[in-house]
Amino acid sequence: MRLLLSASILSADFSHLADHIHQAEEAGADWLHIDVMDGHFVPPITMGPLVVEACKRVTRLPLDVHLMVTHPERHFESFARAGASIITFQQEATPHAHRAVDAIHQLGCKAGIAINPATPENVLLYVLQQVDLVLVMTVNPGYAAQSFIAGMEGKISRVRQHLDSVNSTAWLQVDGGINTETISLARHAGATNFVAGSAIFSHPQGIKDGITSMRSVLGD
Ligand code: DX5
Ligand code: ZN
């Protein structure tokens, strides 16, 4: 499976968003990661469907929408309409993960489920065969530029084993504190899809170097 890099625009300069997205696309980002925060599930408020729609107009990259919101089901339709390709919700935000995955599929999008650092991976067991993506959060959601939490490699490899045991081809995504060092740890633990924000958009040598330095660690 090709290893994918999803560039998180949370760390982009929003006064030059289209330009930053173009730079990430040209440098070889595979997906664009859009962090939606509602001020309830996590303290900050970030972006909504309007920003997704704006991104859609300026890029062909798949839009990877990460919902860090309570009642995520209320918002699937508006994000699908805005142009999301993948919609990922937090397992902790709904008691109805199975229904949520179905609802996302019915809207024609790929469905992802995310788990926080303190959430055990066994909550995924009965939706593993249904989802297109599992996101293991490697920081507590809410903010860019935090450090990868030590010990998350163990959880990534246990999720890898669970996915393999049901012959799932779902992407195993990691998000939070991914840089040229931690990307390698996550990859060896079995991740196939890597979200990075500050390591790309705040790279001292620019967006292109941020992406190429991580690609070279991945070796493709
Ligand atoms: C954190 C967000 C991440 C964030 C990652 O709550 O879900 O996607 O943008 O930022 P970095 O890569 O800087 O840790
Ligand atoms: Zn995210």
Side-chain angles (χ1 to χ4, degrees):
M1 181 185 276
R2 192 173 132 72
L3 302 173
L4 301 182
L5 211 50
S6 191
S8 171
I9 61 168
L10 190 60
S11 298
D13 175 350
F14 273 65
S15 62
H16 296 97
L17 188 56
D19 174 45
H20 278 193
I21 291 173
H22 288 146
Q23 287 188 49
E25 186 167 1
E26 272 167 32
D30 299 293
W31 290 0
L32 213 62
H33 185 85
I34 301 175
D35 284 308
V36 177
M37 306 187 191
D38 65 350
H40 293 276
F41 185 75
V42 288
I45 297 176
T46 55
M47 14 183 166
L50 273 180
V51 174
V52 174
E53 212 177 286
C55 292
K56 187 76 186 167
R57 286 199 294 270
V58 299
T59 184
R60 289 191 177 167
L61 293 179
L63 303 180
D64 168 27
V65 174
H66 178 193
L67 299 180
M68 285 158 277
V69 306
T70 52
H71 303 299
E73 303 85 346
R74 294 181 186 169
H75 306 285
F76 294 156
E77 193 174 345
S78 56
F79 283 100
R81 273 214 207 115
S85 310
I86 304 105
I87 298 179
T88 298
F89 64 90
Q90 291 282 152
Q91 183 276 335
E92 302 83 358
T94 174
H96 300 295
H98 191 279
R99 185 187 293 158
V101 172
D102 270 352
I104 296 170
H105 283 155
Q106 274 166 24
L107 292 162
C109 299
K110 302 277 189 202
I113 184 164
I115 53 171
N116 277 339
T119 302
E121 64 281 357
N122 60 10
V123 299
L124 300 168
L125 289 182
Y126 295 96
V127 286
L128 270 190
Q129 277 173 300
Q130 210 194 351
V131 294
D132 305 291
L133 180 149
V134 173
L135 166 52
V136 174
M137 288 304 297
T138 43
V139 298
N140 288 297
Y143 305 94
Q146 304 179 76
S147 300
F148 184 95
I149 297 175
M152 284 298 124
E153 305 94 293
K155 189 197 257 188
I156 298 164
S157 53
R158 286 189 293 279
V159 173
R160 172 84 273 149
Q161 285 167 15
H162 287 316
L163 287 169
D164 291 349
S165 73
V166 296
N167 293 319
S168 167
T169 55
W171 293 287
L172 205 181
Q173 187 175 62
V174 286
D175 183 10
I178 299 297
N179 55 36
T180 49
E181 284 162 25
T182 54
I183 201 169
S184 182
L185 298 176
R187 185 235 175 123
H188 287 112
T192 56
N193 189 309
F194 308 86
V195 177
S198 52
I200 292 176
F201 291 102
S202 311
H203 190 281
Q205 270 78 50
I207 294 170
K208 185 164 192 256
D209 282 24
I211 288 185
T212 49
S213 60
M214 276 192 290
R215 274 256 173 261
S216 64
V217 177
L218 293 178
D220 65 349

